[in-house]
Protein backbone atom coordinates (compact mmCIF):
# COMPACT_ATOMS: atom_id res chain seq x y z
CA UNK A 1 0.00 0.00 0.00
CA UNK A 2 1.35 3.47 -0.86
CA UNK A 3 1.41 6.32 1.66
CA UNK A 4 -0.96 9.06 0.53
CA UNK A 5 0.97 12.13 -0.59
CA UNK A 6 -1.06 14.98 0.86
CA UNK A 7 -0.75 17.56 3.60
CA UNK A 8 -3.11 18.27 6.47
CA UNK A 9 -2.20 21.67 7.95
CA UNK A 10 -1.98 22.39 11.69
CA UNK A 11 -2.72 25.74 13.31
CA UNK A 12 -1.33 25.58 16.89
CA UNK A 13 2.17 24.39 17.88
CA UNK A 14 3.43 24.46 21.50
CA UNK A 15 7.12 25.44 21.80
CA UNK A 16 7.57 25.22 25.61
CA UNK A 17 8.02 29.00 26.02
CA UNK A 18 5.79 30.28 23.23
CA UNK A 19 3.03 29.23 20.81
CA UNK A 20 3.47 29.14 17.04
CA UNK A 21 0.11 30.07 15.59
CA UNK A 22 -0.97 29.90 11.96
CA UNK A 23 -2.30 33.39 11.17
CA UNK A 24 -5.67 32.41 9.70
CA UNK A 25 -6.40 36.04 8.83
CA UNK A 26 -3.75 35.85 6.10
CA UNK A 27 -4.72 32.50 4.55
CA UNK A 28 -4.78 31.79 1.60
CA UNK A 29 -2.41 34.57 0.48
CA UNK A 30 0.36 34.12 3.07
CA UNK A 31 1.18 31.10 5.24
CA UNK A 32 2.68 32.73 8.30
CA UNK A 33 3.12 31.43 11.86
CA UNK A 34 3.01 34.08 14.61
CA UNK A 35 4.94 33.63 17.82
CA UNK A 36 2.69 34.26 20.84
CA UNK A 37 4.66 34.89 24.03
CA UNK A 38 2.16 36.36 26.46
CA UNK A 39 -1.40 35.78 27.59
CA UNK A 40 -2.28 39.18 26.03
CA UNK A 41 -0.95 37.97 22.65
CA UNK A 42 -3.21 34.92 23.00
CA UNK A 43 -6.30 36.97 23.93
CA UNK A 44 -5.75 39.26 20.95
CA UNK A 45 -5.17 36.36 18.52
CA UNK A 46 -8.45 34.71 19.54
CA UNK A 47 -10.47 37.92 19.52
CA UNK A 48 -9.19 39.01 16.08
CA UNK A 49 -9.76 35.56 14.50
CA UNK A 50 -6.07 34.85 13.86
CA UNK A 51 -7.09 31.54 15.37
CA UNK A 52 -10.73 30.53 15.14
CA UNK A 53 -12.88 27.39 15.20
CA UNK A 54 -14.18 26.10 18.53
CA UNK A 55 -11.60 23.37 19.37
CA UNK A 56 -8.62 25.45 18.12
CA UNK A 57 -9.77 28.38 20.28
CA UNK A 58 -9.86 26.05 23.30
CA UNK A 59 -6.41 24.61 22.54
CA UNK A 60 -4.84 28.06 22.02
CA UNK A 61 -6.40 29.40 25.23
CA UNK A 62 -5.12 26.34 27.11
CA UNK A 63 -1.57 27.01 25.91
CA UNK A 64 -2.08 30.71 26.75
CA UNK A 65 -2.94 29.78 30.33
CA UNK A 66 0.08 27.44 30.38
CA UNK A 67 2.31 30.33 29.25
CA UNK A 68 0.93 32.53 32.03
CA UNK A 69 1.59 29.74 34.56
CA UNK A 70 5.21 29.36 33.43
CA UNK A 71 5.73 33.13 33.68
CA UNK A 72 4.04 33.44 37.09
CA UNK A 73 6.41 34.66 39.81
CA UNK A 74 4.19 33.77 42.77
CA UNK A 75 5.97 32.03 45.63
CA UNK A 76 2.91 30.78 47.49
CA UNK A 77 0.72 28.09 45.97
CA UNK A 78 -2.47 29.90 46.97
CA UNK A 79 -1.37 33.05 45.12
CA UNK A 80 -0.35 30.99 42.08
CA UNK A 81 -3.75 29.28 41.96
CA UNK A 82 -5.51 32.63 42.40
CA UNK A 83 -3.47 34.13 39.51
CA UNK A 84 -4.38 31.20 37.28
CA UNK A 85 -8.08 31.69 38.06
CA UNK A 86 -7.81 35.41 37.17
CA UNK A 87 -6.01 34.59 33.91
CA UNK A 88 -8.68 31.99 33.14
CA UNK A 89 -11.37 34.68 33.56
CA UNK A 90 -9.43 37.07 31.32
CA UNK A 91 -8.96 34.55 28.48
CA UNK A 92 -12.62 33.49 28.78
CA UNK A 93 -13.66 37.00 27.66
CA UNK A 94 -11.90 36.69 24.28
CA UNK A 95 -14.96 35.19 22.49
CA UNK A 96 -18.37 34.24 23.91
CA UNK A 97 -20.00 31.51 21.79
CA UNK A 98 -17.64 28.53 21.44
CA UNK A 99 -17.93 26.62 24.72
CA UNK A 100 -14.65 24.78 24.04
CA UNK A 101 -12.89 27.94 25.26
CA UNK A 102 -14.17 27.73 28.85
CA UNK A 103 -14.19 23.93 28.72
CA UNK A 104 -10.42 23.86 28.09
CA UNK A 105 -9.63 26.67 30.55
CA UNK A 106 -11.67 25.06 33.34
CA UNK A 107 -9.99 21.73 32.70
CA UNK A 108 -6.60 23.36 33.31
CA UNK A 109 -7.80 25.24 36.40
CA UNK A 110 -9.21 22.00 37.85
CA UNK A 111 -5.98 20.13 37.11
CA UNK A 112 -4.10 22.19 39.72
CA UNK A 113 -6.63 21.90 42.55
CA UNK A 114 -4.63 19.26 44.42
CA UNK A 115 -1.01 20.09 43.50
CA UNK A 116 1.45 20.50 46.38
CA UNK A 117 3.72 23.26 45.04
CA UNK A 118 3.95 26.07 42.48
CA UNK A 119 6.43 24.03 40.43
CA UNK A 120 4.13 21.01 40.38
CA UNK A 121 1.31 23.39 39.38
CA UNK A 122 3.31 24.70 36.42
CA UNK A 123 4.24 21.22 35.18
CA UNK A 124 0.68 19.97 35.62
CA UNK A 125 -0.90 22.84 33.74
CA UNK A 126 1.49 22.53 30.77
CA UNK A 127 0.91 18.77 30.67
CA UNK A 128 -2.86 19.26 30.72
CA UNK A 129 -2.73 21.77 27.83
CA UNK A 130 -0.67 19.32 25.75
CA UNK A 131 -3.24 16.62 26.58
CA UNK A 132 -6.15 18.83 25.47
CA UNK A 133 -4.51 19.16 22.05
CA UNK A 134 -3.49 15.49 21.74
CA UNK A 135 -6.95 14.28 22.71
CA UNK A 136 -8.62 16.62 20.23
CA UNK A 137 -6.62 15.11 17.38
CA UNK A 138 -7.67 11.58 18.36
CA UNK A 139 -11.28 12.68 18.86
CA UNK A 140 -11.44 14.37 15.45
CA UNK A 141 -10.18 11.21 13.78
CA UNK A 142 -12.91 9.20 15.48
CA UNK A 143 -15.53 11.76 14.41
CA UNK A 144 -14.23 11.38 10.86
CA UNK A 145 -14.56 7.60 11.01
CA UNK A 146 -18.15 7.76 12.28
CA UNK A 147 -19.07 10.47 9.76
CA UNK A 148 -17.63 8.48 6.87
CA UNK A 149 -20.22 5.74 7.47
CA UNK A 150 -22.92 8.26 6.49
CA UNK A 151 -21.62 8.86 2.97
CA UNK A 152 -21.52 6.76 -0.19
CA UNK A 153 -18.79 6.77 -2.83
CA UNK A 154 -19.29 9.71 -5.19
CA UNK A 155 -21.48 11.71 -2.76
CA UNK A 156 -21.63 15.48 -3.06
CA UNK A 157 -21.61 17.07 0.37
CA UNK A 158 -22.14 20.73 1.25
CA UNK A 159 -20.50 22.52 4.18
CA UNK A 160 -20.18 26.04 5.57
CA UNK A 161 -17.46 27.95 7.43
CA UNK A 162 -14.29 26.02 8.27
CA UNK A 163 -14.66 23.06 10.59
CA UNK A 164 -11.40 21.64 9.35
CA UNK A 165 -7.91 20.75 10.49
CA UNK A 166 -6.94 24.35 11.28
CA UNK A 167 -10.09 24.79 13.42
CA UNK A 168 -8.98 21.84 15.61
CA UNK A 169 -5.80 19.97 16.57
CA UNK A 170 -5.91 18.03 13.28
CA UNK A 171 -8.46 16.61 10.77
CA UNK A 172 -11.32 18.90 11.86
CA UNK A 173 -14.86 17.83 12.65
CA UNK A 174 -17.10 18.36 9.61
CA UNK A 175 -14.07 18.05 7.29
CA UNK A 176 -12.55 14.98 9.00
CA UNK A 177 -14.49 12.44 6.88
CA UNK A 178 -13.07 13.98 3.71
CA UNK A 179 -9.48 13.48 4.89
CA UNK A 180 -10.26 9.92 5.91
CA UNK A 181 -12.02 9.26 2.60
CA UNK A 182 -8.89 10.47 0.83
CA UNK A 183 -6.75 8.03 2.87
CA UNK A 184 -9.11 5.18 1.93
CA UNK A 185 -9.37 6.25 -1.71
CA UNK A 186 -13.10 6.94 -1.48
CA UNK A 187 -14.18 9.76 -3.78
CA UNK A 188 -16.37 12.44 -2.17
CA UNK A 189 -17.03 15.92 -3.54
CA UNK A 190 -17.24 18.91 -1.21
CA UNK A 191 -19.22 22.08 -1.96
CA UNK A 192 -17.98 24.87 0.32
CA UNK A 193 -20.13 27.94 1.01
CA UNK A 194 -17.92 31.06 1.06
CA UNK A 195 -19.28 32.13 4.48
CA UNK A 196 -19.73 35.89 4.57
CA UNK A 197 -18.84 38.10 6.29
CA UNK A 198 -15.26 36.91 6.91
CA UNK A 199 -15.10 34.14 4.31
CA UNK A 200 -13.88 31.14 6.33
CA UNK A 201 -15.26 28.86 3.58
CA UNK A 202 -13.65 30.69 0.66
CA UNK A 203 -10.32 31.40 2.35
CA UNK A 204 -9.77 28.45 4.70
CA UNK A 205 -11.86 25.39 3.75
CA UNK A 206 -10.87 25.52 0.09
CA UNK A 207 -7.21 26.17 1.03
CA UNK A 208 -6.90 23.21 3.38
CA UNK A 209 -8.91 20.76 1.28
CA UNK A 210 -6.97 21.64 -1.88
CA UNK A 211 -3.67 20.91 -0.08
CA UNK A 212 -5.01 17.46 0.73
CA UNK A 213 -6.20 17.01 -2.84
CA UNK A 214 -9.85 16.73 -1.78
CA UNK A 215 -12.30 17.63 -4.57
CA UNK A 216 -13.76 20.98 -3.44
CA UNK A 217 -15.97 23.49 -5.25
CA UNK A 218 -16.54 27.00 -3.91
CA UNK A 219 -19.95 28.70 -4.06
CA UNK A 220 -21.26 31.94 -2.57
CA UNK A 221 -23.73 31.53 0.28
CA UNK A 222 -26.73 32.61 -1.81
CA UNK A 223 -26.04 29.83 -4.34
CA UNK A 224 -26.81 27.07 -1.82
CA UNK A 225 -30.42 26.25 -2.83
CA UNK A 226 -29.68 26.32 -6.54
CA UNK A 227 -26.56 24.18 -6.04
CA UNK A 228 -28.38 21.57 -3.95
CA UNK A 229 -30.98 21.27 -6.70
CA UNK A 230 -28.80 21.52 -9.80
CA UNK A 231 -25.78 19.52 -8.60
CA UNK A 232 -27.74 16.91 -6.65
CA UNK A 233 -26.14 17.51 -3.24
CA UNK A 234 -26.63 14.34 -1.14
CA UNK A 235 -26.15 15.78 2.35
CA UNK A 236 -24.91 18.73 4.40
CA UNK A 237 -22.36 18.53 7.22
CA UNK A 238 -21.33 21.39 9.54
CA UNK A 239 -19.35 21.92 12.73
CA UNK A 240 -20.59 23.45 15.98
CA UNK A 241 -19.59 26.05 18.55
CA UNK A 242 -21.99 25.06 21.31
CA UNK A 243 -24.64 22.33 21.56
CA UNK A 244 -27.34 22.62 24.23
CA UNK A 245 -28.70 19.70 26.28
CA UNK A 246 -31.57 19.25 23.78
CA UNK A 247 -29.31 19.24 20.68
CA UNK A 248 -29.98 22.83 19.54
CA UNK A 249 -26.71 23.82 17.87
CA UNK A 250 -24.92 27.14 17.47
CA UNK A 251 -22.61 27.33 14.49
CA UNK A 252 -21.42 29.93 11.99
CA UNK A 253 -24.07 32.34 10.74
CA UNK A 254 -25.79 30.78 7.72
CA UNK A 255 -25.87 27.26 9.16
CA UNK A 256 -29.56 27.58 10.09
CA UNK A 257 -30.33 28.56 6.45
CA UNK A 258 -28.65 25.35 5.25
CA UNK A 259 -30.62 23.25 7.76
CA UNK A 260 -33.88 24.73 6.44
CA UNK A 261 -32.76 24.03 2.86
CA UNK A 262 -31.89 20.43 3.78
CA UNK A 263 -35.43 19.98 5.09
CA UNK A 264 -36.93 21.57 1.96
CA UNK A 265 -34.90 19.27 -0.30
CA UNK A 266 -35.31 16.24 1.98
CA UNK A 267 -31.58 15.59 2.37
CA UNK A 268 -29.81 14.84 5.69
CA UNK A 269 -28.30 17.68 7.72
CA UNK A 270 -25.46 16.53 10.04
CA UNK A 271 -23.57 18.29 12.82
CA UNK A 272 -20.06 17.00 13.66
CA UNK A 273 -18.66 17.98 17.06
CA UNK A 274 -16.60 16.63 19.97
CA UNK A 275 -18.08 16.28 23.48
CA UNK A 276 -16.09 19.41 24.43
CA UNK A 277 -18.53 21.42 22.27
CA UNK A 278 -21.59 20.31 24.28
CA UNK A 279 -22.94 22.50 27.05
CA UNK A 280 -25.25 20.13 28.97
CA UNK A 281 -25.82 22.86 31.57
CA UNK A 282 -28.07 24.83 29.22
CA UNK A 283 -31.44 23.28 28.35
CA UNK A 284 -31.82 24.70 24.82
CA UNK A 285 -30.36 27.02 22.20
CA UNK A 286 -32.06 30.17 23.54
CA UNK A 287 -29.40 30.19 26.30
CA UNK A 288 -26.43 30.25 23.89
CA UNK A 289 -24.66 33.65 23.84
CA UNK A 290 -24.42 34.81 20.23
CA UNK A 291 -21.39 36.95 19.47
CA UNK A 292 -22.02 40.17 17.56
CA UNK A 293 -18.92 41.43 15.81
CA UNK A 294 -17.74 44.71 14.35
CA UNK A 295 -19.90 46.33 11.65
CA UNK A 296 -16.82 46.64 9.44
CA UNK A 297 -16.89 42.90 8.77
CA UNK A 298 -20.16 43.52 6.89
CA UNK A 299 -19.49 46.92 5.32
CA UNK A 300 -16.17 45.79 3.84
CA UNK A 301 -14.78 42.72 2.09
CA UNK A 302 -11.12 42.09 2.91
CA UNK A 303 -10.64 45.76 3.76
CA UNK A 304 -12.49 47.16 0.70
CA UNK A 305 -15.64 49.13 1.56
CA UNK A 306 -18.81 47.82 -0.12
CA UNK A 307 -21.56 49.73 1.76
CA UNK A 308 -22.30 53.41 2.38
CA UNK A 309 -20.65 55.14 5.37
CA UNK A 310 -23.05 55.28 8.32
CA UNK A 311 -25.31 52.38 7.23
CA UNK A 312 -26.90 50.44 10.12
CA UNK A 313 -25.47 46.93 10.41
CA UNK A 314 -26.49 43.72 12.23
CA UNK A 315 -23.57 41.27 12.43
CA UNK A 316 -24.30 38.12 14.46
CA UNK A 317 -21.39 35.68 14.03
CA UNK A 318 -23.48 32.56 14.78
CA UNK A 319 -27.02 31.24 14.54
CA UNK A 320 -28.82 28.42 16.32
CA UNK A 321 -30.22 25.45 14.40
CA UNK A 322 -33.12 23.83 16.28
CA UNK A 323 -32.68 20.14 17.04
CA UNK A 324 -35.63 19.04 14.88
CA UNK A 325 -33.71 20.10 11.75
CA UNK A 326 -30.67 17.96 12.64
CA UNK A 327 -30.54 14.41 11.23
CA UNK A 328 -27.67 13.36 13.50
CA UNK A 329 -24.88 14.73 15.69
CA UNK A 330 -21.59 12.94 15.02
CA UNK A 331 -19.33 12.72 18.09
CA UNK A 332 -16.27 10.69 19.04
CA UNK A 333 -18.62 8.32 20.88
CA UNK A 334 -20.80 7.71 17.83
CA UNK A 335 -23.80 9.33 16.14
CA UNK A 336 -26.71 10.57 18.23
CA UNK A 337 -30.12 11.07 16.68
CA UNK A 338 -33.83 11.07 17.57
CA UNK A 339 -34.49 11.99 21.18
CA UNK A 340 -31.52 14.31 21.60
CA UNK A 341 -32.18 15.18 25.24
CA UNK A 342 -31.96 11.50 26.27
CA UNK A 343 -29.17 10.63 23.84
CA UNK A 344 -27.01 13.58 24.94
CA UNK A 345 -27.60 12.76 28.62
CA UNK A 346 -26.40 9.20 27.85
CA UNK A 347 -23.26 10.57 26.15
CA UNK A 348 -22.23 12.20 29.41
CA UNK A 349 -23.25 9.43 31.80
O1 LIG B 1 -16.11 32.54 13.93
P1 LIG B 1 -15.40 31.22 13.75
O2 LIG B 1 -14.62 31.14 12.50
O3 LIG B 1 -14.60 30.85 14.99
O4 LIG B 1 -16.58 30.16 13.65
C1 LIG B 1 -16.23 28.81 13.52
C2 LIG B 1 -17.37 27.89 13.30
O5 LIG B 1 -18.51 28.27 13.31
C3 LIG B 1 -17.02 26.43 13.15
O6 LIG B 1 -17.93 25.78 12.33
C4 LIG B 1 -17.04 25.74 14.53
O7 LIG B 1 -16.27 26.46 15.45
C5 LIG B 1 -16.56 24.33 14.48
S1 LIG B 1 -14.81 24.21 14.17
C6 LIG B 1 -14.43 22.54 14.19
Amino acid sequence: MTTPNFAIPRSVIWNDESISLLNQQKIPHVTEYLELKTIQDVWEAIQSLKVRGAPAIGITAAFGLALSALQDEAVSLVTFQENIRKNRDYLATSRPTAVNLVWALDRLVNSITHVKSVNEGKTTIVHEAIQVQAEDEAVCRLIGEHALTLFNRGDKVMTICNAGSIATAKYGTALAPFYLAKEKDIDLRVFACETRPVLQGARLTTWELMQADVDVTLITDNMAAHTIKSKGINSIIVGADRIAANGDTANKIGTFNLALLAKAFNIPFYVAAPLSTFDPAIPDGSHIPIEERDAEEVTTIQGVRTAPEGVKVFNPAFDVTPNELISGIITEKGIVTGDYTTEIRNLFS
Side-chain angles (χ1 to χ4, degrees):
M1 191 171 137
T2 53
T3 316
N5 181 22
F6 61 78
I8 304 179
R10 286 178 187 269
S11 57
V12 192
I13 298 159
W14 173 244
N15 296 322
D16 295 331
E17 287 177 358
S18 66
I19 303 164
S20 290
L21 188 81
L22 178 70
N23 185 353
Q24 298 193 34
Q25 283 287 27
K26 294 216 173 154
I27 301 291
H29 309 296
V30 178
T31 307
E32 131 191 304
Y33 280 82
L34 304 167
E35 198 183 0
L36 310 184
K37 291 184 176 159
T38 66
I39 187 171
Q40 289 80 15
D41 292 347
V42 170
W43 190 95
E44 195 279 332
I46 295 173
Q47 206 285 327
S48 63
L49 309 183
K50 293 187 177 76
V51 59
R52 32 65 49 206
I57 291 171
I59 292 162
T60 309
F63 284 132
L65 198 61
L67 276 183
S68 81
L70 291 177
Q71 291 163 5
D72 202 300
E73 289 174 357
V75 181
S76 102
L77 179 58
V78 175
T79 310
F80 172 75
Q81 286 167 325
E82 185 52 35
N83 291 347
I84 293 297
R85 275 193 291 274
K86 278 191 204 142
N87 289 337
R88 174 258 177 234
D89 292 348
Y90 166 65
L91 284 169
T93 63
S94 54
R95 289 194 77 190
T97 303
V99 76
N100 305 62
L101 173 66
V102 287
W103 171 86
L105 290 170
D106 288 342
R107 188 169 150 171
L108 265 63
V109 169
N110 292 335
S111 75
I112 55 162
T113 312
H114 301 296
V115 295
K116 302 276 184 301
S117 67
V118 172
N119 268 348
E120 190 190 340
K122 291 184 179 188
T123 319
T124 304
I125 230 166
V126 170
H127 180 259
E128 197 67 16
I130 292 169
Q131 273 297 111
V132 165
Q133 186 178 39
E135 284 173 21
D136 188 63
E137 178 174 337
V139 156
C140 285
R141 210 181 149 91
L142 283 170
I143 289 174
E145 274 164 18
H146 294 305
L148 200 49
T149 64
L150 298 166
F151 304 137
N152 296 309
R153 275 177 196 278
D155 270 5
K156 296 170 196 151
V157 186
M158 187 171 281
T159 190
I160 187 168
C161 195
N162 171 268
S165 187
I166 59 174
T168 62
K170 198 179 172 189
Y171 301 110
T173 55
L175 299 192
F178 306 117
Y179 289 118
L180 268 61
K182 198 75 207 167
E183 274 182 24
K184 296 174 203 285
D185 215 12
I186 297 170
D187 60 316
L188 294 176
R189 291 184 61 190
V190 181
F191 285 76
C193 295
E194 70 171 348
T195 322
R196 271 287 282 153
V198 294
L199 304 173
Q200 290 93 334
R203 295 186 299 108
L204 309 176
T205 293
T206 55
W207 175 81
E208 65 163 88
L209 290 181
M210 285 171 77
Q211 285 186 69
D213 198 28
V214 173
D215 185 327
V216 57
T217 303
L218 175 65
I219 60 166
T220 65
D221 302 324
N222 53 357
M223 295 172 187
H226 177 76
T227 306
I228 293 170
K229 190 173 176 190
S230 61
K231 294 287 182 188
I233 298 292
N234 301 94
S235 57
I236 299 176
I237 188 166
V238 301
D241 287 83
R242 194 183 292 233
I243 302 175
N246 72 343
D248 290 351
T249 294
N251 190 50
K252 180 51 54 195
I253 192 75
T255 300
F256 184 20
N257 299 25
L258 291 186
L260 289 166
L261 287 180
K263 184 175 178 184
F265 286 103
N266 197 24
I267 58 172
F269 176 86
Y270 300 116
V271 171
L275 295 197
S276 54
T277 300
F278 287 74
D279 187 353
I282 55 168
D284 60 58
S286 67
H287 297 261
I288 300 177
I290 299 295
E291 177 180 16
E292 282 187 37
R293 292 188 62 86
D294 205 291
E296 257 194 30
E297 288 184 352
V298 176
T299 56
T300 61
I301 298 181
Q302 299 274 280
V304 178
R305 197 162 181 98
T306 56
E309 292 284 349
V311 67
K312 285 197 282 181
V313 169
F314 177 46
N315 184 18
F318 301 95
D319 56 28
V320 176
T321 300
N323 61 5
E324 66 267 19
L325 294 178
I326 301 171
S327 314
I329 305 179
I330 307 150
T331 76
E332 64 269 38
K333 285 195 174 176
I335 302 166
V336 297
T337 185
D339 175 1
Y340 284 110
T341 304
T342 309
E343 293 287 313
I344 290 170
R345 199 180 309 120
N346 290 343
L347 276 182
F348 286 89
S349 62

